[in-house]
């Protein structure tokens, strides 16, 4: 039963329902060597022997599996099995095994990995046994050749048999390697097959949110977007851990700013923290150099994983992220990062397994908080790939602290691109774009997104690569957005065909639109003659930047001037780009939320309700920061601190009046600007 020890009971029940149980008298041959292998057998009672002719290899009893390699190897049986004591066996057919586990890819991957390792071990043992037998036979032949000619003939036959078995062992070894390759191909296929429909889900949800949905529809669309983004995070975790375990994870070496990395982490997580009423703090050591050399994406991933977990497992109190520079005699900058929370904490037993893959503190943790149990394992291995180490300390009920150290070389300041690609969309006005995509939903997402982002854009679509080549040959386009996996002719082949056309068609820029996002896959796109790559599911910024890299490559040298900090709509303008209708929607949503908080503050003050007032003041603080109302935001922080200390509203009349007047004036200003 070791094979199924980690399988959940409900999945085992589904598998049990498909089993066939049968009694076998002693002497019954369960299966013979050379027969097709299509099932495993579980010994419920009795005993069997595994043998090759008269040579017994092993004896098996109650609770053990026989023939399980047949689940991953469709070749003939390598041994025979005969019942030695009256036995009851349960038969699990290959098709039943895959039918049950196809809906549980993580479990299937574990089982296939276990079986592949067992096949490898079995092959190694068989090779060793065969070598020992060959040596023994050679000694017998040398000792008795002079006496018995018959033994010479017997030895010759046994040697031939050993060679055949050696060939069989080699064939099984090759099959084990093929099983590993199949596992990697499975992960690549899973990535593509999930990302393709997710592109449609995320893209269409984003488009609906941009089209001013009714207030009663907004929560549903927001939840769809959040759920699909969470699913994408889980998929990325699974692919990351697979790449790390296979030794295929490569880190970038580019210029990074620790301050910018932490600001991006804050932008991602601050809202989640404030939703739960948590204090969220980030502190950066001023001695850290402005720019270092490393992988900013993976560094942000590690800190986001640690801080995201801290928020998830903290119901009240605070989450603090700190980055400091450590003394160092060498040329590199030693950095110490810590994430501290006041959450549920962990026992020493839980700390011992906290960095293991697919492990969480308990089953209750998974049910209550969700997640895959991969985030901390990925973080540990990424830190180690950066040449550092990570550790954790915790007290049950009093919170946890995760710390890691890395050393990064100093770097020069990079050339900056403007904050938003939407500042440059005028350079793309009237662009003629061909979208080659076989998925109808993804064609709609691409067409509508391009129409939303680019003024006067002209979009045509092709359903496969062959159709795209014909349209390029006979039409006039500025750029092709090419899906990679399509029927009839895939994107790679279509791009190569376009590069064989006469000028000017052969020179048209082709950008990959693909759900296959590994570095190898991206490199294959460039090798085929493509000019860029946009991953699916795509973001507006990624799409625009890919096009601007082709048609406005000099924009990084002359970034657009940012809006002055005194402008209360700075953040809204950045989010809306040059879309007035989007800006109006953001302002309306802000006014609606701020109005509700203003009503709550007034009522809580009248009711002398400290708890409700504290919650409302805490909620309005980030709203004031969004409007660059720094003084009012500081006032709300002071009020929040006093309310947290137990002071009653009656003693804060002047400050509350100032906050209420400031909110009213801000809302009037926004109404005028909208």
């Amino acid at each position: 039963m070791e094979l199924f020890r980690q399988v959940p009971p409900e999945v085992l029940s589904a598998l049990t329902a498909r089993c066939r149980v049968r009694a076998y008298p002693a002497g019954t041959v369960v299966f013979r060597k050379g027969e097709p292998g299509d099932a495993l057998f579980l010994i419920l009672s009795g005993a069997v022997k595994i043998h090759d002719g008269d040579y017994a290899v092993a004896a098996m009893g109650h609770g053990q599996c026989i023939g399980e390699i047949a689940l991953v190897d469709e070749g003939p049986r390598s041994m025979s099995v005969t019942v030695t004591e009256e036995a009851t066996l349960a038969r699990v057919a290959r098709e039943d095994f895959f039918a049950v586990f196809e809906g549980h890819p993580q479990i299937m991957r574990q089982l296939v990995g276990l079986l592949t390792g067992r096949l490898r071990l079995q092959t190694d043992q068989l090779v060793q046994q065969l070598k020992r037998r060959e040596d023994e036979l050679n000694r017998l032949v040398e000792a008795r050749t002079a006496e018995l000619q018959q033994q010479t003939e017997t030895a010759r036959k046994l040697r031939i048999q050993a060679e055949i078995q050696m060939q069989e062992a080699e064939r099984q070894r090759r099959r084990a390697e093929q099983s590993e390759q199949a596992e990697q191909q499975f992960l690549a296929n899973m990535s593509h097959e999930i990302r393709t429909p997710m592109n449609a889900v995320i893209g269409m949800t984003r488009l609906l949110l941009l089209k001013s949905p009714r207030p009663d529809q907004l929560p549903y669309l927001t939840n769809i977007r959040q759920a699909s983004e969470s699913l994408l995070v889980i998929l990325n975790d699974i692919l990351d851990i697979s790449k790390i375990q296979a030794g295929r994870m490569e880190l970038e070496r580019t210029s990074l700013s620790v301050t910018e990395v932490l600001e991006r982490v804050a932008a991602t997580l601050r809202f989640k923290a404030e939703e739960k009423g948590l204090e969220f703090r980030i502190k950066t050591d001023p001695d850290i150099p402005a720019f270092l050399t490393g992988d900013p994406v993976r560094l942000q991933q590690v800190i986001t994983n640690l801080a995201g977990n801290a928020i998830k497992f903290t119901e009240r109190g605070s989450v603090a992220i700190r980055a400091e520079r450590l003394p160092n005699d060498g040329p590199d900058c030693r950095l110490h990062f810590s994430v501290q929370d006041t959450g549920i904490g962990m026992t020493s037993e839980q700390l011992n397994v906290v960095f293991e893959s697919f492990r969480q503190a308990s089953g209750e943790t998974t049910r209550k908080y969700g997640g895959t149990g991969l985030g901390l394992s990925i973080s540990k291995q990424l830190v180690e790939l950066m040449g550092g180490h990570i550790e954790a300390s915790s007290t049950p009920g009093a919170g946890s602290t995760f710390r890691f150290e890395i050393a990064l070389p100093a770097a020069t300041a990079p050339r900056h691109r403007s904050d938003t690609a939407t500042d440059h969309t005028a350079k793309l006005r009237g662009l003629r774009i061909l979208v080659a995509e076989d998925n109808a939903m993804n064609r709609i997402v691409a067409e509508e997104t391009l129409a939303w982002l680019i003024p006067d854009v002209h979009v045509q679509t092709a359903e496969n690569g062959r159709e795209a080549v014909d349209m390029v040959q006979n039409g006039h386009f500025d750029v092709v957005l090419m899906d990679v996996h399509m029927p009839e002719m895939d994107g790679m082949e279509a791009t190569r065909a376009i590069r064989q056309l006469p000028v000017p068609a052969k020179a048209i820029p082709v950008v990959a639109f693909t759900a296959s996002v590994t570095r190898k896959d991206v490199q294959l796109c460039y090798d085929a003659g493509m000019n860029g790559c946009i991953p699916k599911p795509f973001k507006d910024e990624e799409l625009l930047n890919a096009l601007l890299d082709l048609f406005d490559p000099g924009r990084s040298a002359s970034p657009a001037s940012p809006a002055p900090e005194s402008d209360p709509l700075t953040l809204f303008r950045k989010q809306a780009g040059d879309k007035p209708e989007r800006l109006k929607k953001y302002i309306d949503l802000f006014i609606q939320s701020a109005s509700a908080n203003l009503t709550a503050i007034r009522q809580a003050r009248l009711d002398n309700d400290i708890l409700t007032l504290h919650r409302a003041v805490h909620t309005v603080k980030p709203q004031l920061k969004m409007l660059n109302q720094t003084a009012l935001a500081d006032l709300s922080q002071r009020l929040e601190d006093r309310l947290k200390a137990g002071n009653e509203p009656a003693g804060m009349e002047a400050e509350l009046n100032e906050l209420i007047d400031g909110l009213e004036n801000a809302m009037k200003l926004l109404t005028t600007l909208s």
Side-chain angles (χ1 to χ4, degrees):
M1 291 296 287
E2 179 187 356
L3 181 63
F4 300 105
R5 186 167 296 160
Q6 301 299 326
V7 178
E10 64 272 18
V11 181
L12 280 178
S13 297
L15 187 63
T16 302
R18 292 173 174 263
C19 291
R20 294 171 56 189
V21 179
R22 176 183 166 191
Y24 292 78
T28 302
V29 178
V30 181
F31 55 75
R32 290 182 172 83
K33 176 182 176 181
E35 291 180 348
D38 62 352
L40 69 80
F41 293 82
L42 177 63
I43 305 173
L44 303 180
S45 65
V48 303
K49 69 174 181 178
I50 300 174
H51 59 98
D52 184 3
D54 294 330
Y55 181 76
V57 176
M60 310 286 278
H62 169 71
Q64 294 182 290
C65 288
I66 52 175
E68 64 271 30
I69 303 302
L71 297 181
V72 292
D73 184 358
E74 298 182 4
R77 302 284 192 181
S78 60
M79 292 285 174
S80 299
V81 172
T82 302
V83 176
T84 55
E85 296 177 11
E86 182 177 359
T88 302
L89 307 180
R91 182 178 184 274
V92 180
R94 183 188 295 116
E95 60 268 24
D96 293 330
F97 176 85
F98 283 99
V100 170
F101 288 103
E102 67 180 357
H104 305 275
Q106 293 179 358
I107 301 175
M108 181 178 288
R109 181 167 173 269
Q110 288 178 311
L111 295 178
V112 170
L114 180 61
L115 290 171
T116 302
R118 193 170 295 175
L119 179 59
R120 224 185 266 114
L121 177 62
Q122 176 183 322
T123 301
D124 292 342
Q125 291 175 341
L126 182 58
V127 169
Q128 292 174 2
Q129 291 172 0
L130 291 172
K131 286 181 178 178
R132 287 195 297 269
R133 288 182 65 187
E134 186 177 21
D135 292 343
E136 178 185 355
L137 290 172
N138 285 333
R139 286 194 300 270
L140 288 173
V141 170
E142 292 172 0
R144 303 182 61 184
T145 297
E147 292 182 36
L148 300 170
Q149 185 65 34
Q150 185 178 0
Q151 284 193 2
T152 303
E153 181 64 19
T154 301
R156 186 183 69 82
K157 291 180 179 179
L158 288 172
R159 192 179 299 113
I160 292 173
Q161 183 182 8
E163 290 174 356
I164 293 172
Q165 290 179 339
M166 286 282 287
Q167 292 172 359
E168 175 66 20
E170 175 63 20
R171 191 160 63 91
Q172 290 192 21
R173 184 189 64 78
R174 290 196 298 268
R175 284 178 178 167
E177 292 177 351
Q178 291 169 357
S179 295
E180 289 183 350
Q181 294 172 359
E183 179 183 350
Q184 296 304 320
Q185 186 62 45
F186 166 76
L187 289 170
N189 291 342
M190 181 182 71
S191 170
H192 178 266
E193 294 304 318
I194 294 179
R195 283 178 181 274
T196 296
M198 280 182 63
N199 180 65
V201 173
I202 294 175
M204 289 184 172
T205 305
R206 182 176 65 245
L207 290 170
L208 286 172
L209 284 167
L210 294 175
K211 293 185 177 181
S212 300
R214 298 195 313 265
D216 62 315
Q217 295 173 332
L218 191 59
Y220 296 104
L221 292 172
T222 302
N223 286 335
I224 292 173
R225 184 192 63 195
Q226 292 173 346
S228 57
E229 289 174 350
S230 297
L231 184 58
L232 186 60
V233 169
I234 292 172
L235 173 64
N236 288 335
D237 279 351
I238 294 172
L239 294 177
D240 278 350
I241 200 70
S242 301
K243 285 191 286 187
I244 291 171
Q245 291 174 347
R248 294 185 291 108
M249 174 67 76
E250 298 180 23
L251 298 179
E252 296 286 345
R253 287 185 59 81
T254 186
S255 180
L256 69 83
S257 163
V258 172
T259 299
E260 290 181 3
V261 167
L262 294 181
E263 285 176 352
R264 288 195 292 270
V265 172
T268 302
L269 299 177
R270 190 181 299 280
F271 179 71
K272 291 182 180 179
E274 292 180 345
E275 256 188 343
K276 298 180 73 171
L278 303 177
E279 184 180 359
F280 188 75
R281 302 190 303 273
I282 290 182
K283 184 177 181 181
T284 306
D285 187 343
D287 290 337
I288 296 176
F291 297 100
L292 299 167
T293 299
D295 191 327
V297 173
R298 294 303 181 183
L299 178 59
Q300 180 181 339
Q301 181 180 358
V302 172
I303 300 172
T304 301
N305 278 346
L306 299 180
N309 270 0
I311 293 171
K312 180 193 297 186
F313 296 115
T314 302
E315 297 302 326
R316 62 179 63 87
S318 64
V319 172
I321 304 173
R322 293 182 178 84
E324 58 182 319
R325 183 175 187 175
L326 300 177
N328 190 21
D329 296 332
D332 294 344
C333 175
R334 284 182 63 217
L335 299 174
H336 178 273
F337 295 90
S338 66
V339 177
Q340 186 175 16
D341 65 65
T342 58
I344 61 176
M346 291 176 286
T347 64
S348 57
E349 292 80 7
Q350 292 166 346
L351 274 174
N352 289 334
V353 299
V354 73
F355 291 111
E356 293 183 12
S357 298
F358 302 103
R359 292 292 294 268
Q360 292 193 329
S362 67
E364 178 65 24
T365 300
T366 305
R367 289 189 294 272
K368 183 174 181 181
Y369 298 100
T372 61
L374 290 174
L376 291 177
S377 175
I378 291 171
S379 298
K380 177 178 184 292
Q381 295 183 69
L382 286 176
V383 168
E384 290 173 352
L385 281 174
M386 295 177 193
H389 68 277
I390 189 170
E391 61 185 16
S393 59
S394 185
T395 302
S400 305
T401 301
F402 286 81
R403 311 173 187 83
F404 69 93
E405 290 183 13
I406 56 175
L408 299 177
T412 56
R415 296 174 68 191
H416 282 291
R417 175 175 291 178
S418 65
D419 289 337
T420 59
T422 53
D423 296 334
H424 300 269
T425 52
K427 299 289 181 69
L428 305 177
R429 180 181 292 274
L431 209 62
R432 296 166 298 181
I433 301 176
L434 173 61
V435 176
E437 168 66 69
D438 65 310
N439 185 289
M441 291 185 294
N442 285 337
R443 285 199 299 274
I444 294 172
V445 170
E447 285 184 87
E448 294 204 10
T449 302
L450 289 167
W452 180 271
L453 294 174
I454 302 175
D456 303 324
V457 69
H458 302 282
V459 182
Q460 295 188 48
T461 62
E463 296 185 15
N464 57 64
R466 191 175 304 282
E467 185 178 338
V469 175
D470 292 341
M471 293 177 71
V472 169
Q473 189 171 12
N474 300 313
H476 301 282
F477 298 98
D478 298 306
V479 64
V480 179
L481 300 181
M482 182 79 74
D483 185 26
V484 172
H485 297 281
M486 293 185 289
E488 295 193 40
M489 179 185 285
D490 65 26
M492 304 285 194
E493 188 178 353
T495 302
R496 285 189 284 266
I498 290 173
R499 297 299 178 234
Q500 298 301 315
L501 296 175
V503 176
K506 72 178 299 179
I508 186 172
V510 179
V511 178
F513 232 2
T514 178
S516 300
V517 292
T518 65
R519 179 173 296 190
K520 179 181 177 182
D521 292 328
V522 173
Q523 186 57 51
L524 288 174
C525 293
Y526 287 110
D527 293 343
M530 297 185 182
N531 304 84
C533 184
I534 301 172
K536 289 191 293 190
F538 67 86
K539 299 176 182 178
D540 292 358
E541 290 287 309
E542 293 170 336
L543 177 58
L544 282 176
N545 279 325
L547 295 174
L548 288 167
D549 284 340
L550 297 173
F551 299 103
D552 186 22
R555 71 192 188 282
S556 60
S558 55
S561 299
E565 285 302 314
S566 59
D567 181 3
L569 297 183
T570 298
L571 180 60
F572 294 103
R573 296 188 202 282
K574 286 183 179 181
Q575 292 177 333
D578 60 354
K579 301 294 186 296
E581 62 276 22
R582 193 188 292 190
L583 178 62
K584 184 178 186 308
K585 186 186 80 169
Y586 291 157
I587 292 175
D588 290 344
L589 289 173
F590 181 91
I591 291 174
Q592 181 181 357
S593 175
S595 177
N597 284 321
L598 186 57
T599 301
I601 290 172
R602 285 172 169 155
Q603 188 61 47
R605 182 176 64 170
L606 290 174
D607 298 339
N608 203 36
D609 185 344
I610 297 176
L611 183 61
T612 302
L613 185 58
H614 175 270
R615 188 183 302 117
V617 171
H618 176 81
T619 304
V620 84
K621 179 178 59 178
Q623 295 175 334
L624 292 167
K625 289 181 179 179
M626 290 177 68
L627 292 178
N628 289 325
Q629 300 288 327
T630 307
L632 283 175
D634 291 343
L635 173 61
S636 64
Q637 179 65 63
R638 293 195 298 273
L639 284 168
E640 182 183 350
D641 292 341
R642 292 179 63 186
L643 289 165
K644 188 186 297 186
N647 292 290
E648 294 191 357
M652 303 178 232
E653 283 294 323
E655 293 93 334
L656 286 171
N657 286 334
E658 184 181 351
L659 179 62
I660 291 171
D661 291 343
L663 268 175
E664 288 178 336
N665 292 333
M667 290 168 60
K668 289 176 183 177
L669 175 62
L670 283 178
T671 303
T672 302
L673 293 174
S674 65

